[in-house]
Amino acid sequence: NAGVMQNPRHLVRRRGQEARLRCSPMKGHSHVYWYRQLPEEGLKFMVYLQKENIIDESGMPKERFSAEFPKEGPSILRIQQVVRGDSAAYFCASSPANYYEAFFGQGTRLTVV
Amino acid sequence: AQSVAQPEDQVNVAEGNPLTVKCTYSVSGNPYLFWYVQYPNRGLQFLLKYITGDNLVKGSYGFEAEFNKSQTSFHLKKPSALVSDSALYFCAVRDANNAGNMLTFGGGTRLMVKP
């Protein structure tokens, strides 16, 4: 059973471009979470999704950021019109329904130049 | 709202000595508590969890943690540190009474084990 897969591992975007980050949860996991980590800082919750539903997006900026977890395919975190302050590591985690801990992917490191 | 505090940005310990990484939490209901470790440029690896039962829980790589309800703490411990334990450690909490499944993380503590 492969772990949580995130791609790309590294992503460079110019200011104003769009960034798309993908997360394939572990097999059988229907819950997906996205976190952002700035250098030398902790993880900040962004959004919690179940298949086709956003459960909690309280940590996600209201503008430019969106997330989805379609019935088929990976979860996508989309950042439009990126700015330098969006540069960070973005981690995805997944868990089965009614499970306690979440399992993390290796992260996508976004650099905005 | 739930929160986690890790009061030490960095903990230094000599190899072979015991180590403690501190964590305190706040939730409105019963807590589910977790420790994760992060190595450079990697994702988080699960170490151990407290859900219910014995206050002392044992996890991977010889780590253990003690749940103390009165002090709202969940400190991570290891009897004898290894240089390879050097990494960033995160404590996390989930409210057992919250239908949402969100983990809230502390700011992390960097553990440096010197030979």
Side-chain angles (χ1 to χ4, degrees):
Chain A
N1 187 5
V4 178
M5 304 300 291
Q6 288 188 249
N7 67 82
R9 291 291 307 276
H10 300 275
L11 181 62
V12 179
R13 285 287 177 265
R14 295 186 185 279
R15 281 178 294 172
Q17 290 185 318
E18 178 181 286
R20 279 185 178 240
L21 288 63
R22 295 176 197 79
C23 170
S24 296
M26 290 177 70
K27 188 176 180 181
H29 288 197
S30 57
H31 298 231
V32 165
Y33 320 82
W34 285 93
Y35 288 82
R36 177 163 67 177
Q37 184 180 34
L38 295 171
E40 299 301 313
E41 291 191 13
L43 283 86
K44 302 298 184 187
F45 168 76
M46 298 182 73
V47 62
Y48 162 39
L49 310 105
Q50 293 181 21
K51 281 287 186 181
E52 299 185 275
N53 289 306
I54 296 175
I55 306 302
D56 184 344
E57 56 181 349
S58 59
M60 200 154 67
K62 295 286 188 284
E63 296 180 356
R64 301 190 297 108
F65 285 73
S66 62
E68 63 177 11
F69 187 19
K71 187 177 181 181
E72 301 291 338
S75 175
I76 305 289
L77 178 67
R78 182 182 178 205
I79 312 172
Q80 295 177 290
Q81 299 173 346
V82 295
V83 301
R84 287 231 171 98
D86 297 332
S87 296
Y90 292 83
F91 288 97
C92 169
S94 74
S95 70
N98 300 320
Y99 205 67
Y100 301 118
E101 66 265 33
F103 298 88
F104 281 78
Q106 298 294 307
T108 293
R109 279 157 183 80
L110 172 66
T111 302
V112 180
V113 297
Chain B
Q2 54 198 45
S3 65
V4 176
Q6 293 181 242
E8 303 153 314
D9 289 337
Q10 182 161 317
V11 169
N12 298 309
V13 65
E15 187 174 30
N17 284 0
L19 67 89
T20 299
V21 182
K22 295 179 181 176
C23 169
T24 57
Y25 66 89
S26 174
V27 292
S28 55
N30 292 318
Y32 292 155
L33 294 155
F34 310 85
W35 276 101
Y36 286 82
V37 59
Q38 185 181 31
Y39 296 100
N41 299 315
R42 302 292 297 275
L44 275 71
Q45 296 178 30
F46 168 75
L47 274 181
L48 51 79
K49 67 186 177 201
Y50 170 82
I51 303 299
T52 187
D54 289 341
N55 289 342
L56 185 65
V57 294
K58 294 185 184 297
S60 307
Y61 312 121
F63 284 93
E64 57 189 30
E66 185 165 13
F67 170 61
N68 187 318
K69 188 173 183 178
S70 62
Q71 297 184 5
T72 61
S73 67
F74 189 58
H75 301 331
L76 181 70
K77 300 181 180 184
K78 187 173 182 180
S80 179
L82 300 172
V83 173
S84 58
D85 292 330
S86 299
L88 194 53
Y89 290 81
F90 290 98
C91 181
V93 70
R94 230 191 84 203
D95 188 338
N97 300 97
N98 187 343
N101 210 17
M102 182 183 79
L103 283 171
T104 297
F105 285 85
T109 298
R110 185 165 299 283
L111 174 65
M112 299 288 290
V113 182
K114 297 197 182 335

